[in-house]
């Protein structure tokens, strides 16, 4: 699942992003309101964590603009303000939850997962391609009914392939979605993880789902 984190305090943003990535989420970071609004309207996110005090556009303005276009995406507000009136204002404007700084990452994680569970998801929580199944909320993978254990990155890669089944994904697209920008240009890391996924997903089955498209990238077959 992909999350947009909007936070202008770089140290806090890095800590939260690192924690979310360790839990298997893909994370994009915006440091100001204008960038946040641009990303939120350009890409499909499963949830947004939105600070209120931001440069260029406030979190309140970003929230109101997003809600004009997208009523469903879960939005968790972050703020140093704990007044009841402030909470009521933002919840009334369309926020789904509200967390006051400072906060424990464990609480943030619980709140994000709760929002994802109860939100009217734009994509199904359980995705099936042929006989391969992923439960996106519980991060469980099965093929032909048999449970498959994957690492955090293996799961993130498989989820991305399954959500785009039938579409050829380049190595750069996969790196941008699954890994940090520090991996930019290291396309061989994708090949390594594809081999690991094939060993777990395809090797025991006659029908091979993960296919290499020479010179283009990889695709997950969506036909038996």
């Amino acid at each position: 699942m992909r999350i947009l984190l909007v936070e202008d305090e770089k140290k806090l943003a890095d800590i939260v992003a690192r924690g979310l990535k360790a839990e298997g989420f893909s994370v994009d970071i915006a440091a100001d309101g204008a960038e946040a609004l641009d990303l939120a309207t350009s890409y499909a996110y499963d949830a947004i964590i939105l600070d209120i005090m931001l440069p260029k556009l406030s979190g309140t303005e970003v929230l109101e603009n997003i809600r004009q276009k997208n009523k469903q995406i879960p939005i968790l507000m972050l703020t140093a303000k704990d007044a009841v009136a402030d909470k009521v204002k933002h919840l009334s404007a369309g926020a789904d939850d509200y967390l006051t700084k400072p906060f424990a990452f464990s609480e943030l994680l619980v709140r994000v997962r709760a929002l994802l569970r109860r939100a009217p998801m734009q994509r199904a929580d359980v995705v099936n391609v042929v006989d391969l199944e992923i439960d996106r909320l519980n991060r469980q993978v099965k093929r032909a009914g048999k449970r498959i254990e994957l690492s955090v990155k293996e799961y993130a890669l498989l989820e991305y392939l399954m959500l785009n089944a039938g579409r050829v994904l380049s190595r750069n697209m996969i790196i941008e979605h699954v890994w940090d920008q520090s991996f930019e240009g290291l396309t061989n890391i994708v090949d390594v993880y594809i081999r690991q996924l094939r060993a777990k997903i395809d090797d025991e089955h006659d029908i091979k789902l993960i296919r290499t498209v020479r010179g283009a990238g990889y695709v997950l077959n969506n036909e038996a």
Side-chain angles (χ1 to χ4, degrees), residues 3 16-25 27 47 49 76 78 97 99 103-117 137 139:
I3 292 178
V16 172
R18 189 162 55 247
L20 290 170
K21 290 173 182 177
E23 294 295 326
F25 295 100
V27 183
I49 301 172
L76 169 65
L78 298 179
D97 201 356
L99 187 58
F103 55 84
F105 175 76
S106 57
E107 181 179 3
L108 173 69
L109 183 61
V110 167
R111 286 173 181 260
V112 168
R113 285 179 169 165
L115 288 178
L116 291 171
R117 280 196 300 271
L137 291 180
R139 292 180 176 78

Side-chain angles (χ1 to χ4, degrees), residues 169-176 187 190-191 212-213 215-218:
L169 302 174
S170 71
R171 291 170 176 82
N172 285 336
M173 290 170 64
I174 293 171
I175 288 171
E176 179 182 349
T187 54
V190 177
D191 301 331
T212 301
V213 180
Y218 297 100

Side-chain angles (χ1 to χ4, degrees), residues 135-165:
D135 181 333
R136 300 181 66 211
L137 291 180
N138 297 309
R139 292 180 176 78
Q140 293 183 355
V141 179
K142 295 179 181 178
R143 181 153 190 198
K146 182 180 177 181
R147 179 82 176 268
I148 300 171
E149 297 294 337
L150 299 179
S151 70
V152 170
K153 287 301 184 187
E154 288 170 347
Y155 174 84
L157 174 56
L158 179 63
E159 181 187 58
Y160 186 46
L161 289 168
M162 290 190 69
L163 290 174
N164 292 277

